[in-house]
Amino acid sequence: MKFSCVMTAYNEGPLLAQSVASVLNQSHEDLELVLVDDGATEETRAVLQAQNDPRIILLQQANDGLSSARNRGLRHCSGDYICFLDGDDLRAPWAFAEVAAALRTDPVELLLVRGALSQPQGALTPFMDEVSALGAEREAKDHPTGAGGDLAATKAWAVSFEPQSANKFLSAGLLARARLCFPNDHFFEDILFHALAVAQARSVTVLPARSFTYFRRQCRPQVTGGSSDTRFDVIGTTRVLFQLLAGHPEFANPRFRGAVAIGALRLLKWCEERIARHRLTAYRTALRAALAQVDVRFFTISPDTPDPRGERLMLQRYAQDHLMA
């Protein structure tokens, strides 16, 4: 079983070398690392040029953003399963071996893994979707209709996972059949890719192992972490997400539909709370116009919907307040 890992490079500098090594040093050796130089800085490019492992496929492009770089990487993958890793995070050395063992037993189209979260002060805690992982495992035990349990229940919990690229392994067949890619015209791309991957997968399972480490780093803010107009992109991305899923068969699964709404509304509210004050009215106006185009059934969230942070009622009110404004 061959794995392809897509990693993009822009301004990670020396941190990139650690991320690359964490993939190349896997105990499961049948792998390739597709590295995309997305107009990288000189310091980062020096790390790329120092790599000489034959399992690396190095691609170069002018800076066009994370989605474009990942999409280009996907077009060059030859593995049976594809995963992602940011250029400043780490993959545990046993990660691919554990995933391969699980997939030999149950060859699902989408496998989700847990991770660890490293805080700037050094504390190491479970990644943010730990509650979702535990919920998925409980449902699988309660509905033992197959190795992955009841698919509708598993999908509802799976879509409630953090929309983070490192926590999923996708079969090449799923990517090809569903034509999955990242939206190249908006930031907050992971929430759309994640939800569509879960919706389109014909089989899903969750692996108990924690096999990646996501680093929150000081002095390295994300593009989406400031108060700039970039935050407006979340409105377009989530509107497209709602509209695409409204026409998908999974829309009929109320728990899946509700979990999508909770994740999207959480992100919309988070951005609203952090937008620059002088742009707040414009943000709210754009948000209300977008929500008005969404099927209102998304905003009636059933009590049994996966709700890992206990936000269901608050976010339901948040949507309704904007719709009635």
Side-chain angles (χ1 to χ4, degrees):
M1 182 181 297
K2 182 178 181 180
F3 292 102
S4 297
C5 181
V6 176
M7 183 183 298
T8 65
Y10 177 55
N11 65 353
E12 294 79 10
L15 296 174
L16 180 64
Q18 301 176 57
S19 300
V20 168
S22 77
V23 175
L24 297 179
N25 292 335
Q26 292 291 309
S27 56
H28 180 95
E29 296 181 351
D30 192 3
L31 62 88
E32 66 182 10
L33 174 59
V34 182
L35 270 170
V36 185
D37 175 351
D38 184 36
T41 60
E42 289 186 15
E43 190 178 30
T44 302
R45 188 160 292 168
V47 175
L48 292 171
Q49 293 172 346
Q51 307 301 319
N52 60 4
D53 192 295
R55 295 172 296 175
I56 291 177
I57 299 172
L58 180 58
L59 308 171
Q60 289 184 301
Q61 64 178 38
N63 179 244
D64 194 31
L66 182 59
S67 289
S68 170
R70 284 180 178 166
N71 289 337
R72 187 169 183 203
L74 283 172
R75 293 194 293 271
H76 289 80
C77 290
S78 63
D80 303 297
Y81 283 83
I82 292 86
C83 65
F84 304 90
L85 187 68
D86 288 344
D88 57 356
D89 295 333
L90 298 176
R91 186 75 71 180
W94 57 82
F96 286 5
E98 288 188 328
V99 170
L103 290 172
R104 280 193 288 269
T105 301
D106 184 19
V108 295
E109 288 194 331
L110 175 63
L111 183 145
L112 298 171
V113 297
R114 300 185 197 181
L117 175 63
S118 178
Q119 302 285 3
Q121 296 79 13
L124 198 63
T125 60
F127 190 62
M128 296 173 282
D129 48 27
E130 184 78 3
V131 175
S132 295
L134 293 171
E137 290 171 10
R138 274 195 310 272
E139 294 250 6
K141 291 177 182 177
D142 293 342
H143 303 279
T145 56
D150 179 76
L151 182 58
T154 302
K155 281 194 170 190
W157 279 107
V159 83
S160 78
F161 269 59
E162 287 295 314
Q164 209 275 342
S165 61
N167 64 2
K168 57 185 67 67
F169 287 74
L170 306 98
S171 73
L174 168 60
L175 284 164
R177 187 189 75 247
R179 299 181 181 179
L180 289 173
C181 63
F182 292 87
N184 197 33
D185 52 350
H186 287 90
F187 289 102
F188 301 96
E189 63 286 322
D190 279 329
I191 189 171
L192 181 58
F193 184 89
H194 176 78
L196 291 177
V198 176
Q200 296 283 23
R202 293 171 177 167
S203 48
V204 183
T205 196
V206 177
L207 191 64
R210 295 191 183 100
S211 64
F212 68 92
T213 301
Y214 176 83
F215 289 87
R216 278 183 175 159
R217 302 190 187 274
Q218 292 177 322
C219 304
R220 286 178 56 78
Q222 294 177 301
V223 172
T224 54
S227 59
S228 72
D229 288 356
T230 299
R231 291 194 181 279
F232 279 75
D233 276 15
V234 72
I235 299 173
T237 300
T238 53
R239 177 179 56 80
V240 170
L241 170 64
F242 283 131
Q243 291 176 338
L244 288 175
L245 290 180
H248 193 279
E250 286 299 332
F251 183 77
N253 176 356
R255 298 181 71 205
F256 176 91
R257 187 173 70 232
V260 168
I262 287 173
L265 291 170
R266 178 196 303 133
L267 190 54
L268 288 164
K269 185 173 186 295
W270 182 78
C271 286
E272 180 178 339
E273 292 169 345
R274 288 160 179 81
I275 199 77
R277 187 179 297 273
H278 70 282
R279 300 293 284 145
L280 184 56
T281 298
Y283 180 91
R284 288 173 174 168
T285 300
L287 173 58
R288 290 163 185 168
L291 292 181
Q293 301 175 50
V294 175
D295 191 311
V296 294
R297 285 174 289 179
F298 274 112
F299 307 130
T300 302
I301 307 172
S302 63
D304 62 344
T305 296
D307 183 16
R309 303 185 192 182
E311 302 166 307
R312 179 181 68 87
L313 291 176
M314 179 269 291
L315 290 173
Q316 191 169 255
R317 285 194 301 270
Y318 173 76
Q320 292 169 350
D321 287 346
H322 276 297
L323 286 169
M324 293 186 295

